[in-house]
Amino acid sequence: MTDPIRLSLSRRHLMSAGAGAAIALSAGRAAAQQAEGQPLMGDPELPMRPGERMRWAIVGLGTYAVGQLLPSFGDAHRSRMTAFVSGNRDKAERLGRSYGVDRFYGYDNYDRIASDDEIDCVYIVLPVGLHAEYTIRALEAGKHVLCEKPMASTSAECERMIAAARANGRQLGVAYRVHFEPNNLHARQRIADDLGVIRHVSAEHGFDINPEFPPHKWRLERALAGGGSMYDIGIYGLNTSLMMLKEDPVSVSALYSTPAGDPRFSEVEGGLDWQLRMPSGISVSGTSSYCIAPYVSRQRYSGSKAALEMQPATTYDDNRIRFLGEGQPPQEYAAGNAAAQFAAQLDGFSMAARSGTAHRTPGEMGLRDIRIIEAMYRSADADGAAIPVSV
Ligand code: NAD
């Protein structure tokens, strides 16, 4: 029998971006569902009635939460917000009026969420140095936790978070939204189907950090950030490459590329050039930087038959694919609405929490990535020596 997903995917390969947009959107969604067996878009045919949806508390109402996450609940079908945790009660109440949220906690009475039956899931959107503490307290309060990336400051903290999830019988996920992004899910399918044997992967992620801007300021302080550019932005290149390859590295090497004398980088690195050695014999090369302009988010996958590039690769709402086949003109297109990733991630976690099955991006994945980055730092401290990793 003809597989309708494959049929629509191969039709899309022949189309240019504009003409194929509608088919591409549904095919990207279908490919994602096929890839992971989890509904991507909150399964529009089967939305849960609001009273049945998983109830979420958002911890930290900063730039990312307010700009991206809160609005995305409007597109979710299995998730709704019931509570905000913030140090700024006026801000929380103002946002509560906009989003129909009427339960408010501060950091001083956070543990009282334990007796709040209107909260099932907690989303940690705080600076990295606070992830472990607030995640563990929520798990001990009996809630499921989705924690922003990077998972925590150290692998030891990640291990404690995973242990707390197990001890309390709750789900722990790390918010790697790219695993729910239609263009990246489509790219993963094409990489598997059309590139032949993968020979090399490269990733480039960076921006120019502004120490005067409060959300950037804490990213330059080790206690709150855990690490530097690799923790914050380079982690997209690492995690997305591993998502596409479906194998984990055996060793890593890295070199710092922090500009000498730049006062912004007294506590964390400004840049890191890194390389993963994979069991299949290939290498993955990446750069992360806090001192380049303009903002860049780029991935390239080179195979024995063809190559696929994504630029932008991991943004909120504008990811694009460029497929390069031997002797063919490049095909450039978007395979879906990138902004759908936010609601898809929420609903994916709600379903995992409700059913007691592991989230697509579990705590163990967050721990793996922090272990790899710690090995990168050890390598960079030793002028690029190869460091074995066991993840
Ligand atoms: P932000 O500075 O804008 O927000 C941080 C929030 O934490 C603020 O509301 C702040 O008041 C609160 N906070 C509580 N205690 C604090 C303390 N001691 N110091 C500083 N702030 C404190 O930062 P952001 O950019 O929204 O990042 C928040 C989290 O979201 C981080 O983990 C970051 O890595 C993650 N993030 C993820 C993405 C993504 O695409 N997945 C994008 C941006 C940020």
Side-chain angles (χ1 to χ4, degrees):
M1 201 173 86
T2 308
D3 179 341
I5 294 167
R6 290 209 184 268
L7 182 65
S8 56
L9 277 173
S10 32
R11 280 181 61 195
R12 178 154 32 87
H13 294 174
L14 302 173
M15 291 180 169
S16 63
I23 288 173
L25 179 62
S26 62
R29 187 182 306 156
Q33 292 178 5
Q34 184 191 46
E36 291 290 347
Q38 274 184 25
L40 172 67
M41 307 284 289
D43 207 349
E45 287 93 43
L46 295 169
M48 284 179 164
R49 284 193 291 273
E52 297 170 341
R53 296 177 191 186
M54 294 298 268
R55 297 157 298 181
W56 288 65
I58 311 300
V59 184
L61 297 175
T63 319
Y64 184 60
V66 173
Q68 307 304 324
L69 303 179
L70 270 47
S72 72
F73 276 86
D75 298 324
H77 292 277
R78 297 173 184 277
S79 317
R80 66 186 171 103
M81 290 186 289
T82 51
F84 289 149
V85 180
S86 169
N88 183 336
R89 178 76 182 220
D90 288 346
K91 182 179 188 181
E93 289 186 359
R94 181 168 42 77
L95 287 164
R97 283 192 291 280
S98 299
Y99 288 102
V101 169
D102 58 5
R103 313 175 88 75
F104 305 104
Y105 295 89
Y107 299 114
D108 48 349
N109 65 0
Y110 177 62
D111 297 309
R112 283 174 42 196
I113 63 172
S115 54
D116 192 334
D117 292 338
E118 292 291 311
I119 300 172
D120 306 303
C121 302
V122 169
Y123 195 157
I124 306 294
V125 204
L126 294 168
V128 182
L130 304 173
H131 285 185
E133 178 193 339
Y134 282 86
T135 294
I136 291 170
R137 284 165 67 182
L139 290 165
E140 289 176 345
K143 310 301 180 187
H144 304 282
V145 178
L146 182 65
C147 178
E148 259 310 324
K149 49 54 60 182
M151 184 171 172
S153 296
T154 64
S155 54
E157 285 185 350
C158 298
E159 286 163 7
R160 285 200 292 279
M161 293 158 80
I162 291 168
R166 288 193 187 134
N168 291 283
R170 293 293 178 268
Q171 290 294 328
L172 172 59
V174 178
Y176 287 125
R177 57 181 169 74
V178 175
H179 290 246
F180 296 84
E181 197 280 303
N183 294 283
N184 277 277
L185 292 169
H186 167 86
R188 185 162 80 159
Q189 194 69 47
R190 276 209 94 171
I191 289 165
D193 290 349
D194 299 337
L195 262 57
V197 182
I198 300 299
R199 303 295 195 204
H200 185 252
V201 178
S202 66
E204 186 186 3
H205 295 261
F207 63 96
D208 192 31
I209 199 159
N210 174 5
E212 308 302 324
F213 180 47
H216 287 190
K217 187 170 177 294
W218 66 256
R219 285 169 162 83
L220 295 168
E221 298 169 15
R222 179 168 295 281
L224 284 172
S229 65
M230 191 62 213
Y231 260 55
D232 185 48
I233 185 102
I235 196 167
Y236 287 100
L238 168 64
N239 183 269
T240 306
S241 298
L242 297 183
M243 164 186 166
M244 301 299 182
L245 289 177
K246 303 176 203 156
E247 58 176 343
D248 290 332
V250 290
S251 69
V252 308
S253 54
L255 290 172
Y256 294 117
S257 57
T258 305
D262 190 321
R264 292 176 295 179
F265 307 116
S266 58
E267 296 194 23
V268 299
E269 93 280 357
L272 193 78
D273 297 338
W274 50 271
Q275 199 153 43
L276 311 180
R277 174 66 55 192
M278 307 305 285
S280 58
I282 70 161
S283 72
V284 177
S285 308
T287 66
S288 73
S289 182
Y290 267 161
C291 19
I292 54 172
Y295 167 88
V296 65
S297 162
R298 186 190 66 77
Q299 299 268 144
R300 183 182 165 99
Y301 308 91
S302 301
S304 55
K305 292 188 189 156
L308 187 146
E309 295 174 351
M310 293 191 69
Q311 186 170 16
T314 57
T315 62
Y316 298 155
D317 53 12
D318 182 31
N319 298 323
R320 296 194 63 79
I321 293 165
R322 191 159 191 260
F323 182 82
L324 301 145
E326 196 80 66
Q328 306 166 16
Q331 300 166 13
E332 294 190 28
Y333 58 98
N337 175 9
Q341 65 191 303
F342 298 103
Q345 175 173 252
L346 294 171
D347 283 344
F349 189 78
S350 286
M351 290 170 65
R354 184 178 287 277
S355 64
T357 53
H359 185 51
R360 188 179 297 176
T361 56
E364 286 77 5
M365 181 183 285
L367 168 62
R368 175 201 68 185
D369 292 353
I370 296 296
R371 281 185 177 150
I372 293 170
I373 297 173
E374 286 176 341
M376 288 176 182
Y377 287 149
R378 281 203 297 281
S379 171
D381 288 343
D383 278 335
I387 306 289
V389 285
S390 151
V391 289

